[in-house]
Amino acid sequence: MPCVRTVLCLLAALAACGAVAFLGYCVYFDRKRRGDPAFRRRLRDKRRAQQPKTEGRGAQLCDPAKNEKLQELFLQEIHMGELWLSRGEHQLGVEHLSNALLVCGQPQELLKVFQHTLPPKVFEMLLHKIPLICQQFEADMNEQEYLEDDRA
């Protein structure tokens, strides 16, 4: 009859082998999962969704050169929108004003200004255009980040 001590040693050795095999299994599949491009894409999308949305003054960019270019683009789009609206081309005017909203640091404030200054028909066209512009912007950003990830 085997000794109790021998049986306990065998059980301990068996448990240790099982633990080592389980850890090896975990490490192998974790490396396989992390190397998968689809997993990286899902992880990037999840992180992007978890980032807090910045509004107002916190939305300003750290790089002054980029901030200056965005400001120039904003002013150019406002000017072009006003120009097209003054010529009676409401569609083109709304297109440029919605682009200005997209790059604006405080879009809610700009919408309030538009509500008071634009004719109701044009303001309504602008409100209908906003979701389309946001979808287009998100698609462009996703494509740009996808291309940047492929280069890396």
Side-chain angles (χ1 to χ4, degrees), residues 48-76:
R48 201 176 302 131
Q50 288 178 351
Q51 287 178 346
K53 303 283 183 190
T54 57
E55 293 183 24
R57 296 178 187 212
Q60 291 184 356
L61 299 176
C62 297
D63 187 9
K66 286 183 179 181
N67 197 8
E68 193 173 305
K69 286 183 181 183
L70 278 177
Q71 196 172 25
E72 288 176 22
L73 177 64
F74 170 74
L75 293 174
Q76 178 185 355

Side-chain angles (χ1 to χ4, degrees), residues 54-57 59-60 74 100-108:
T54 57
E55 293 183 24
R57 296 178 187 212
Q60 291 184 356
F74 170 74
L101 268 171
L102 191 62
V103 296
C104 180
Q106 299 175 340
Q108 291 85 6

Side-chain angles (χ1 to χ4, degrees), residues 29-89:
F29 280 106
D30 187 53
R31 287 186 62 115
K32 187 175 179 180
R33 177 183 60 103
R34 287 178 186 236
D36 184 22
F39 170 74
R40 289 183 178 183
R41 194 174 316 113
R42 285 190 310 268
L43 186 62
R44 185 179 59 243
D45 293 341
K46 185 187 292 185
R47 285 181 183 161
R48 201 176 302 131
Q50 288 178 351
Q51 287 178 346
K53 303 283 183 190
T54 57
E55 293 183 24
R57 296 178 187 212
Q60 291 184 356
L61 299 176
C62 297
D63 187 9
K66 286 183 179 181
N67 197 8
E68 193 173 305
K69 286 183 181 183
L70 278 177
Q71 196 172 25
E72 288 176 22
L73 177 64
F74 170 74
L75 293 174
Q76 178 185 355
E77 291 294 332
I78 292 287
H79 177 70
M80 292 299 295
E82 290 174 347
L83 182 67
W84 285 114
L85 288 175
S86 68
R87 292 182 180 175
E89 295 287 336

